[in-house]
Structures are given as structure tokens and as C-alpha cells.
Amino acid sequence: MDYSSLAHDPDDPAGSSPWSTSPRAVRSRSIEEPSVNDRPTSASTEVGNNPKTNGSSAEQRQAGEAQDDGHTGLGIDTASGLRTGRDGSRETDDDDGAGRVDEPESTREASGIESQRGPQARPEPQRPLAQRYHTPARATPRSSIPQYRLQAKITGLERTGRKDPILRFDVHTNLPKFRTTQFRDVRRTHSEFIKLAEHLISSNPEALVPAVPPPVTAAGAGTDEDEARVKAFMQRWLNYVCSDEVLMRDEEMVLFVESDFGYSPVVRIKQPATGVRRRVIKQFAPPPDDTPELQSARPTVKLFYLCTMEAGQKVDKVVKARRSLGLAESELGVKMGSMSVQEPHPGLATAYRKLGKTIQTTGDYHAAQGTAEATTLGDALTYHSSDAFIVKETLTNRHILLRELLQAQHVSRSKLSATDRLKASKSVKRDKVDEAINALDDARGYESHLSEKTQRVTANLLQARRRWFATTAADLRASLRDYALRHIEAERRTLALLESVRPDIRAIDASGGLSRLGRETHPAARRASLAASQGPRGDAWSG
């Protein structure tokens, strides 16, 4: 597995990283730590070599500041305390020497220089080293905030009969919660992926967890196309989960990767409302929502869920009908081929035999076309329907959270009113006061907790909603494109097969096969061409 595309993070708390030798890492170190040749010779070096000034650290700092003035266009004469302007003139400040007679000479000169430099000439107190010595044309050092990564790559799929398939994958990460940065040949069954997805949905209401793809496709278990599609779909699911900033930091992700003997969620979190209560809540109008984008998202997702489910069911009916058509055509081809035995005319017997085989092959093509339709379009619609259902339920959980926040706000107002009434009463008991204050604090604390949770969920769902809409549209367009290409290919194959039997029909007799109908042959100019319309470049009439 190639992880060279990941960026090196020098602040990686997970320890050593395989990215330490990447060119990007070398460039970042060269920017943050300039070489000695790139740094200008400062006045502190000259002061350090002068035996008269080696004992004074204040004078060394003074010389360094004088070198900074050289960059800003101002010069400082440390011997006389004069300030030299850009035009070469020198100015003196008589007030700098007052009140500092008892101080050492080096300290007095340093403080005098600081007071003489002014607010514009004074350098910034915390200027980085790279910004101080490098020219503005060079790149600035990137932020020191670590960029965490979690990547997984499907490497194999194992099937044993009808048992749950086993998926093998490699993991690379720099998250500090993991024991190491690389995990090779992690083996998990498809049902364990479903357990992980159910936990992520319940414990992360601010994230949209995609539905786990099915373990088998309509192509048929054991076929090469089925294995390739299952691996591609599971790889896409892992890419989505591992790239999400919320899901990749979940504790169960660590256990899912590092468990040696299978995986089962340690913490089981239930949905905020289930069963009859959830169905009753859905019957009410949605709560007031100050986010129009999420407010309009749930009806759209629900409509998409219902339409894809209905379209998937209709595609299944079309597939069944096409497969039935294929079986009927195969039977017709067999019966037509058997008619060649009883036909005395040699040309017609040959036509019966070859036409029967052609119709039988056409039936096989139609059966294969039905399987292709179910694989390319039926499976895609079924998956997007289940995925949209999860998104719809996640948005419903947000509505339930908004209702709980409104109830908490109502409880807080009622507790505050009770406290105000107690305050205005003439006889006040200590135990009632303490009870009212505690109840008000608890109500306000719970309201604050729900308010923060609602804001976090809303902010994350806004980003997740845009990402889900974009990825779903792209996946559905790709599925429709694949379906159209497979359908066109199947129709061209069928047309080429039917054209291959046309010479045998024309060669029944000299009249072009029409003498048995009592008709004369057509002129040669009006006779259709026997050239095949399907070639390597497509249709002959497509240009």
C-alpha cells in the first residue's frame, strides 16, 4: 500500500512516521531552521569577538538591536548614545540620561536605546526567526497544528460458501490514540462493519454515516465482477468514514482496527427515540429551525429515499421480465432448430437451424442484459435508498434534539419564575430556597448542555449535508452512465448477432428466400446491403 501521498506532520504525537524523508518534510524543516550561511552576520558576533565587551550581556543585546535597526533603516551609535536617521544626521535626547546616574553604563545605554527608537522603529517582540532573517519572497512556515490522518485500503476479499465474507485491509494513521502508525492485514467480516456503522450512527448525531454496501451484488457471488464491485464499494465506504473529522476520532475506530479476535462494540448507545414514540414524534410538525439549509434538507432527502426505493423496485420488475424473455427466446430457438429435421427444402432447413441458434443466443444475451441492469442500476438505487434513509433518520434526530432544547428552555423559565415568586413571598424557608436554587441551576446547566450540543450538531451537519449531496449526485450519475453504456453494448451485440444470420435467410433459394411466399425478387438496386452495421468503431451510421 502506498502512503506517500500523505503529508508529513512534524508534531505527530504517535511517534516516528514513514513520511520523515519526503521532500515536503525536508522543505518545511529548511524553512523553519535557516542555515548559518543564510543568516546575516549580526553585531553580536563582533561583540563576542571583542575582548572589551565580552563580559556584558546587555551590550550584546544592544548590538543585536542595533543590527535590527540596520534592517529598518535606523542606525544606533552605542558609544555615544546618538541615533542616526536615514539621511545621516544624528540626534540626541537629553532626557535619556536623567534619573539613571546610579545605573551601570551598559544598562543605561540599552534602556536609552529602547526609549530613543520610537514605536515605529521598535521590532516586534515575538517575531519568528524565519521571518526575521529571510526575505519576504521566501515561503512562510506552515502552521504547527498537526493534521491527523486515517487511511484504510482494501487488499482482499475472502468467501467461504454462503458464510459472511471476510475483508482484508491495511490501515495507516498518525492519530495519537492508536498503538502504532501502521496495521497490516486487518481482517473483519461484513457483519462487523455493520456493527461499527450502527455504533457510529448512534454515538455521532452530528455526522452522516453512509450505509454499509451489501456483501454480494446482482452479478452473482463468486464472479470477478462481484468481487471487484464489493471491494470498490467497501473501499469507498472506508474512505468516507476515515476522512470524516468526527468519525475518525471515535473510540470504536481504535477498537475496530486493533482488536485481535473479532470486533464488537464496547459501548452500545441507543437512538434518542425508538419504536412507537419515534413514530408519534414524526407525526408532529417539525420544531422551529433557524437553519434553512437543514430545514429543507429532510423533506428533500425523504423524497429522494422514496423515489429511489420505488425506482429500484421497478428496475427489479424489469430485470425479472427480461430474464423471462430470455428463457422464452431460448425455448423458441430450440423448437425452431428442431424444425430443420422435418423440412425437405435444404436451404430452408439450414435457415431454420441457424435461425434457431441465433434466437437461442439472443435469449442468453437478454438474460445477461437483465443481470447487467440489476448490477449497474438496481443495486445503485437500492443502496442510495438505504443511505438516504439513514440521512433522513439523522436529520430526524436533530429535530428531536431541538424539541428537547425547547423543553429545557421552558423548564428553565418555569424554575426562574418559581424562584422569583419565592423571592417575593413574605415567609421564606431556607430549605425551599436551596431547593429552588438547585433546581434552577440544574435546569440552566441542562439547557446550556443541550444548546452547545445543538450548535455543534448543526454546524457539523451543514458541512456533512453538502458533502453528502455532492457525493450522492456524483455516484448516481456514474451509475446511470454505466447502465447506459452496458445497455448500448448489449443492444449492439444483439443487432450484430441478428445481422449474422441474414445471409442464410437470403440464401434459402435464388429468389432471396421469398419464393415460398409467392413473391418475386426485388431489384438488386433496392435490395438491402448485406454489410454488417456494427464494427469496431461502433454503428456504421454514427459517422
Side-chain angles (χ1 to χ4, degrees), residues 511-534:
S511 62
L514 301 177
S515 62
R516 298 296 296 269
L517 300 178
R519 299 171 58 185
E520 299 295 334
T521 179
H522 292 285
R526 296 175 55 186
R527 187 175 299 176
S529 175
L530 296 179
S533 64
Q534 303 299 311

Side-chain angles (χ1 to χ4, degrees), residues 93-116:
D93 293 337
D94 298 336
D95 297 338
D96 292 338
R100 287 185 271 114
V101 179
D102 297 336
E103 297 178 359
E105 183 179 356
S106 60
T107 307
R108 184 168 62 251
E109 290 179 357
S111 59
I113 290 172
E114 290 294 334
S115 61
Q116 292 170 4

Side-chain angles (χ1 to χ4, degrees), residues 205-206 398 401 452-462:
E206 66 272 23
R398 179 177 173 271
L401 183 61
E452 294 176 358
K453 184 178 180 180
T454 303
Q455 293 177 2
R456 185 183 74 252
V457 169
T458 301
N460 290 333
L461 282 183
L462 275 175

Side-chain angles (χ1 to χ4, degrees), residues 240-421:
Y240 190 99
V241 172
C242 294
S243 60
D244 192 278
E245 294 292 336
V246 178
L247 300 179
M248 67 187 294
R249 289 177 169 82
D250 195 278
E251 296 289 343
E252 291 295 328
M253 292 294 294
V254 181
L255 299 177
F256 181 77
V257 174
E258 295 184 352
S259 297
D260 296 329
F261 305 99
Y263 164 76
S264 182
V266 177
V267 180
R268 298 183 181 274
I269 302 177
K270 296 182 179 180
Q271 294 284 346
T274 57
V276 179
R277 180 171 177 264
R278 191 178 186 89
R279 289 195 293 270
V280 171
I281 290 176
K282 289 182 179 180
Q283 300 301 322
F284 297 108
D289 195 349
D290 56 352
T291 310
E293 190 172 351
L294 292 180
Q295 185 178 8
S296 61
R298 189 183 181 280
T300 304
V301 173
K302 182 178 180 180
L303 182 62
F304 179 75
Y305 156 68
L306 295 175
C307 291
T308 50
M309 181 175 61
E310 183 180 0
Q313 294 174 355
K314 292 183 177 180
V315 169
D316 291 341
K317 292 182 179 179
V318 171
V319 170
K320 291 180 180 179
R322 196 175 293 276
R323 288 174 177 173
S324 300
L325 174 63
L327 292 176
E329 287 176 337
S330 298
E331 293 178 0
L332 176 62
V334 172
K335 292 181 179 180
M336 185 170 291
S338 63
M339 293 173 59
S340 62
V341 180
Q342 302 176 359
E343 179 62 38
H345 192 279
L348 187 58
T350 304
Y352 279 153
R353 186 177 67 255
K354 292 189 176 181
L355 184 59
K357 291 182 179 180
T358 300
I359 295 177
Q360 188 176 358
T361 307
T362 304
D364 297 338
Y365 282 173
H366 283 162
Q369 185 178 358
T371 303
E373 289 177 348
T375 303
T376 55
L377 189 59
D379 288 349
L381 292 174
T382 303
Y383 173 76
H384 286 299
S385 176
S386 60
D387 189 26
F389 178 77
I390 294 177
V391 175
K392 180 180 71 72
E393 294 302 316
T394 303
L395 295 175
T396 303
N397 292 339
R398 179 177 173 271
H399 285 176
I400 297 175
L401 183 61
L402 291 176
R403 294 182 188 277
E404 292 180 357
L405 177 60
L406 294 177
Q407 294 177 359
Q409 292 174 350
H410 177 70
V411 171
S412 297
R413 288 193 295 268
S414 63
K415 297 297 182 183
L416 182 60
S417 300
T419 306
D420 294 338
R421 290 194 302 268

Side-chain angles (χ1 to χ4, degrees), residues 6 23 32 37-38 75 124 138 146 148 183 209 225 258 261 274 288 301 324 362 389 394 413 432 439 490 537:
L6 299 177
E32 295 177 359
N37 297 331
D38 294 339
E124 297 179 2
R138 301 189 65 173
Y148 292 117
F183 298 88
V209 182
E225 184 180 2
E258 295 184 352
F261 305 99
T274 57
V301 173
S324 300
T362 304
F389 178 77
T394 303
R413 288 193 295 268
K432 291 186 177 181
R537 297 182 179 181

Side-chain angles (χ1 to χ4, degrees), residues 14 16 171-183 258:
S16 60
V171 178
H172 187 89
T173 180
N174 59 353
L175 288 169
K177 295 181 180 180
F178 288 85
R179 292 180 301 187
T180 181
T181 58
Q182 293 185 3
F183 298 88
E258 295 184 352

